Amino acid sequence: MSHVITMKTVTLSRTLAYVRGDGLTAQQEQILDTMRERAQAAQRGLDHEGIDWGITVPEALEHLVAGRADAVGPYVGNAYYTALLTVVECTGSDSTDVGVYSKPSTFFGLMDRELRTLGVPADLLPYGFLYADLPEGIPFRIPGPMDGYPAIGHLPLAKAKAVADAYTAVLDRIDGAFTHEVKRLIEMFELEHEEWQSALEHGHTMDTILFWIVG
């Protein structure tokens, strides 16, 4: 089974505003309507496949918006994380595909080991931010998906240049099995850094790169 890794930049506080149980502005309510449409579309796909997670994705989204995730069952985390992705997909910048992998946790775990051996600091290793889970700021626990997917990760935009520089420094020594992905990450993080600097000059407040892995 293939897993797609996607990323985008967000102002984290604005994204998390939808899952804190706080009152939303009129504009946020409009965006929430789009999230609800995406949740319904995701549920239609599940219904077509005969998949029952014990709670529907639209129901999970309403729970999150109300500031709770208290449904019980072995698969409710799948519904909550799928609903959470509708929130992520409707906030921040346009999405960018990172790549498609058959076993991303295995691949990036091995890449971590290679980069660590070459001296890349632990907080800049890819597995760490791709699978970092939810950022701090949600005041309640959200159950994780049973099989680990969807997976969510995050990296502060302020670290994007450090990641790119650290990978560039070891590019000529890294195992060839990882060269393509390392080059891809260098290019992406250099671009994210440049766009972030430009955005700051124009008063924008993007501060976090969010990643999600589905399959």
Side-chain angles (χ1 to χ4, degrees), residues 125-189:
L125 297 173
Y127 188 99
F129 53 74
L130 291 174
Y131 288 90
D133 207 5
L134 300 167
E136 294 182 0
I138 299 178
F140 55 93
R141 177 183 173 274
I142 301 178
M146 173 64 74
D147 58 357
Y149 294 99
I152 295 177
H154 65 277
L155 179 76
L157 265 167
K159 280 191 172 183
K161 186 64 164 60
V163 173
D165 288 347
Y167 293 5
T168 299
V170 302
L171 184 58
D172 61 345
R173 293 180 285 138
I174 198 166
D175 187 306
F178 306 111
T179 300
H180 174 77
E181 280 72 19
V182 169
K183 286 183 176 178
R184 171 75 169 150
L185 291 175
I186 290 170
E187 292 171 358
M188 295 180 72
F189 287 136

Side-chain angles (χ1 to χ4, degrees), residues 7-86:
M7 60 178 269
K8 67 162 45 184
T9 57
V10 302
T11 301
L12 188 58
S13 62
R14 292 180 181 176
T15 298
L16 298 186
Y18 293 92
V19 293
R20 286 178 172 158
D22 300 332
L24 301 177
T25 67
Q27 182 181 22
Q28 287 172 323
E29 288 286 355
Q30 291 179 344
I31 296 172
L32 178 58
D33 287 340
T34 302
M35 296 174 186
R36 287 173 170 142
E37 291 173 2
R38 286 179 178 263
Q40 290 165 359
Q43 186 60 44
R44 286 194 294 271
L46 293 170
D47 291 343
H48 179 73
E49 296 181 34
I51 296 174
D52 181 2
W53 285 335
I55 180 175
T56 68
V57 178
E59 288 170 340
L61 177 61
E62 296 305 325
H63 283 198
L64 296 177
V65 173
R68 63 189 180 94
D70 53 5
V72 177
Y75 295 101
V76 296
N78 293 68
Y80 281 128
Y81 267 62
T82 301
L84 185 61
L85 289 187
T86 69

Side-chain angles (χ1 to χ4, degrees), residues 186-205:
I186 290 170
E187 292 171 358
M188 295 180 72
F189 287 136
E190 286 180 341
L191 178 61
E192 291 296 339
H193 174 75
E194 291 170 3
E195 292 185 346
W196 176 54
Q197 292 298 299
S198 177
L200 290 177
E201 292 176 1
H202 292 86
H204 298 293
T205 57

